[in-house]
Amino acid sequence: MKGTKWGKMYDQSIIDIFQLGVRSIRYSCIKECYWEAPDQGFILFCCDSSSFGNPGAAGFGIIVRDSKCEVVGAMSVGVGSATNYIAEILAVICALEWDFFLNAFKIIIRSDSKTVIHDFCNDNIPWMFRTRWINAKNRLGCIVFQHSYRETNFSADDLAKKGTSIQAGERVIYS
């Protein structure tokens, strides 16, 4: 039963009729989340993806900030039908390629996908993106990968959801 029990008699009668009983909830650990600005000289790329179904209509979003926390740009991209993992990989690859146009050579990639961050740190990229990854990696002076909690990555998440509704390969760039 979802919703709120208001302590009224009819709430208890519904629980009794359907014999729902007491439902225990899993204890959720409260974690402190915070957002950090990138170090001086670094550009921060916050990446996220979204898919409605897995696989399903997918898209990703990237928001770029400088060391003063000013937004340099943002992008929503339609992927088409794909898994969430593929869309997350594409978000990071696209961020790495976008840095070339921004003349950034020291970047931070921040994503809420631990799997994707782990795969990039261990050079374990799917074969279809390997060449793009190697080309981008060789152009950069420094790449730092960071995991962030979903709660601190909400702006990239919003851009990713917008990406699910646009055509595959189409990019909407906000500057």
Side-chain angles (χ1 to χ4, degrees):
M1 184 168 142
K2 293 184 179 179
T4 305
K5 181 179 174 186
W6 298 102
K8 302 288 182 187
M9 205 54 184
Y10 63 83
D11 287 332
Q12 189 60 47
S13 65
I14 291 171
I15 290 171
D16 292 340
I17 289 170
F18 291 106
Q19 299 174 352
L20 297 175
V22 178
R23 183 175 151 202
S24 61
I25 58 172
R26 201 171 45 171
Y27 174 75
S28 294
C29 177
I30 298 172
K31 294 183 182 178
E32 184 176 341
C33 298
Y34 58 93
W35 191 89
E36 279 185 358
D39 292 335
Q40 187 67 32
F42 279 84
I43 299 291
L44 173 65
F45 291 83
C46 293
C47 306
D48 200 8
S49 74
S50 182
S51 68
F52 293 115
N54 203 13
F60 63 84
I62 303 168
I63 187 158
V64 186
R65 291 186 175 92
D66 63 10
S67 59
K68 293 179 255 174
C69 295
E70 294 176 353
V71 175
V72 175
M75 179 188 313
S76 291
V77 180
V79 175
S81 183
T83 64
N84 197 45
Y85 175 76
I86 293 297
E88 289 275 0
I89 292 284
L90 277 169
V92 173
I93 293 288
C94 189
L96 292 167
E97 292 171 346
W98 194 9
D99 79 281
F100 178 73
F101 296 104
L102 297 175
N103 292 325
F105 297 102
K106 292 171 29 175
I107 67 168
I108 299 169
I109 300 288
R110 199 174 282 171
S111 173
D112 59 6
S113 173
K114 283 184 180 179
T115 305
V116 169
I117 294 297
H118 179 267
D119 288 351
F120 274 96
C121 288
N122 293 313
D123 206 27
N124 189 20
I125 309 306
W127 65 269
M128 63 273 240
F129 306 118
R130 195 139 191 74
T131 303
R132 290 173 70 182
W133 159 238
I134 291 169
N135 290 340
K137 183 172 65 167
N138 290 338
R139 270 197 323 263
L140 290 168
C142 179
I143 307 171
V144 177
F145 291 100
Q146 295 178 345
H147 174 258
S148 67
Y149 288 110
R150 180 174 293 144
E151 291 78 9
T152 61
N153 207 23
F154 61 89
S155 54
D157 183 58
D158 187 49
L159 291 167
K161 288 178 181 166
K162 288 180 183 179
T164 61
S165 63
I166 59 179
Q167 295 291 323
E170 184 179 346
R171 296 176 184 211
V172 178
I173 298 175
Y174 310 92
S175 55

